[in-house]
Amino acid sequence: MKTFKNIITILILTFISMDVTAQKATKKQEEKKTGCISGNCENGKGKYVYSNSKYSLRYYEGNFVNGLKDGHGLYYDDYNGTIQKKYVGDFKKDEYHGKGKLISLPGEYEGEFYKGLKHGKGKYKSIVGWIFEGDFKFDEKYYGTFKFKDNSKYIGQYVDDKRNGQGKYYDKNGQLKFEGRFRNSKPIKNVTKGKKTYEIGIYEGEFVNNLADGYGVFTMKDGSVYKGTFKEDKAHGFGVMTAPNGMKYDGQFKDDKFNGYGTLTNPDGSKKFGEWKDNKLSTLIEEYDKNGKLKEKKKSNSMFDTKWD
C-alpha cells in the first residue's frame, strides 16, 4: 500500500510538472505572437502585434517606413471581444493621414484625415442615430448636413462642434422651419449687421445685442486684421489674423487668443503648425523652413510608442 501511495504521489507530481511546463510553453507561444510577427516592420509590408492575450488583441498590418506606420494599413484594437478602435486607410508617420474609415465606440467616420484628426470631407454616423456629412476642421464639424434620428435636419455652419452661424432647420417632413443665425445649436433672431468703432480698432460684420457676434472683420489701429467668427465681442472659432510685418495665424481662436489647432506663418515664410493655448504653442506637430521644406522631428525611442497604440 505504501508503495502504491508513493507511485500515486510521483504521478501527481509528474502531472503538475507537465502542466507547469505546458503553461510556460503556452506563455512563450503567446509572447512569440507579439512584436513583428510577419513581413518587414521597418521598411515594407508587415504585421506588428502590440498585445495578444485572453482579453486584449491589438495589431497593425500594412506598410511601414522607417519603423512607422506609413502608407495603407489596418489598425485593430479589441478588448474582451468588443472593438475599441478599427481603422482602415492611409497613414503617415504613425498617424491617420489621407482617406480612411475609423470605427470606435462613439460611432463611425469615413472620410479625410490630417495628422490624426478628422479634417476635410467626411461622414460620421453616431451610435445613437444621428448622422453628419460635410466638412470637418481639426476633428470638429465645420459645415454640412446634420440629420437627426427623427429625420429632421440642419444644414449650415458649426463652431465649437455646435450649430453656430448661418443655417437652415427642416422638420422631419422636410418643411423649412427656420433660416438664419444659430447660437449654441439654438436659432436666434436678433441679428444685425453693421460697423462699430472700438478703442483698439473698427469692427464690421454681424452683431447680437450690440456685440460683435458671428462673422466679421476687425481692423486694428496698428494695421493688424482679423477675419473670422466672433462671440460676444471676442474672436472665437475659426479665423485668420495678419500683422503689418507679414506674420499670419490661420486657425482656431477662443477669447481673443490662439486656442486650438492653427498655423503660424512668420514674415520669412517659415511655418509652425500645432495646438495652441492662450497664444502659446503647446504642441508642435509640423514645422517648415522658409523654403517650404518640412523639418524632420526627432524620432521616438520606441517606434511603436504612439497615441494610436
Side-chain angles (χ1 to χ4, degrees), residues 1 18 23 26 39 67 81-82 85 90 102 146 185 203-204 243 248 251-252 288:
M1 181 66 70
M18 288 173 65
Q23 288 181 9
T26 302
T82 301
K85 191 177 291 183
D90 301 323
L102 175 65
F146 187 102
S185 298
Y203 169 80
E204 189 169 2
K248 181 176 76 171
Q252 292 174 297
Y288 294 84

Side-chain angles (χ1 to χ4, degrees), residues 7 10 25 102 120 128 136 154 168 188 197 200 202 244 248 250 259 268 276 300:
I7 292 171
I10 292 169
L102 175 65
V128 297
F136 289 80
Y154 166 84
K168 298 178 181 179
I188 54 175
T197 301
I200 61 170
I202 298 173
K248 181 176 76 171
D250 184 351
N259 275 295
D268 66 355
W276 301 75
S300 169

Side-chain angles (χ1 to χ4, degrees), residues 1 16 38 47 53 60 62 67 105 128 147 263 265 290 306:
M1 181 66 70
I16 290 173
S38 65
K47 184 175 182 179
S53 66
Y60 168 76
L105 292 177
V128 297
K147 185 177 287 187
T263 300
T265 304
K290 62 181 181 180
T306 76

Side-chain angles (χ1 to χ4, degrees), residues 2 20 25 42 56 58 112 153 157-158 176 208 217 221 244:
K2 186 175 180 181
V20 170
E42 184 64 28
S56 176
R58 292 187 298 124
E112 297 175 305
K153 65 181 179 181
Q157 297 174 309
Y158 281 79
L176 179 63
V208 175
V217 178
K221 290 182 178 179

Side-chain angles (χ1 to χ4, degrees), residues 164-283:
N164 280 298
Q166 294 294 323
K168 298 178 181 179
Y169 174 74
Y170 296 84
D171 66 17
K172 61 182 180 180
N173 298 315
Q175 296 294 316
L176 179 63
K177 304 300 290 186
F178 180 82
E179 181 176 2
R181 270 288 306 285
F182 285 75
R183 159 73 74 78
N184 294 332
S185 298
K186 295 180 180 179
I188 54 175
K189 299 180 180 180
N190 55 336
V191 181
T192 59
K193 290 185 178 181
K195 193 174 183 179
K196 185 177 178 180
T197 301
Y198 292 79
E199 186 177 343
I200 61 170
I202 298 173
Y203 169 80
E204 189 169 2
E206 295 178 310
F207 290 87
V208 175
N209 298 326
N210 202 36
L211 298 176
D213 203 302
Y215 182 83
V217 178
F218 197 99
T219 304
M220 300 173 210
K221 290 182 178 179
D222 68 356
S224 299
V225 178
Y226 170 80
K227 296 180 180 180
T229 54
F230 289 78
K231 183 179 179 181
E232 297 178 345
D233 260 4
K234 293 181 179 179
H236 189 102
F238 289 95
V240 179
M241 172 80 80
T242 57
N245 65 356
M247 184 174 286
K248 181 176 76 171
Y249 172 83
D250 184 351
Q252 292 174 297
F253 288 77
K254 184 178 180 181
D255 295 329
D256 272 341
K257 296 178 180 179
F258 308 162
N259 275 295
Y261 292 96
T263 300
L264 181 71
T265 304
N266 293 307
D268 66 355
S270 59
K271 298 180 181 181
K272 288 183 179 180
F273 168 73
E275 193 169 4
W276 301 75
K277 186 174 181 180
D278 295 336
N279 287 340
K280 294 181 180 179
L281 184 61
S282 60
T283 305

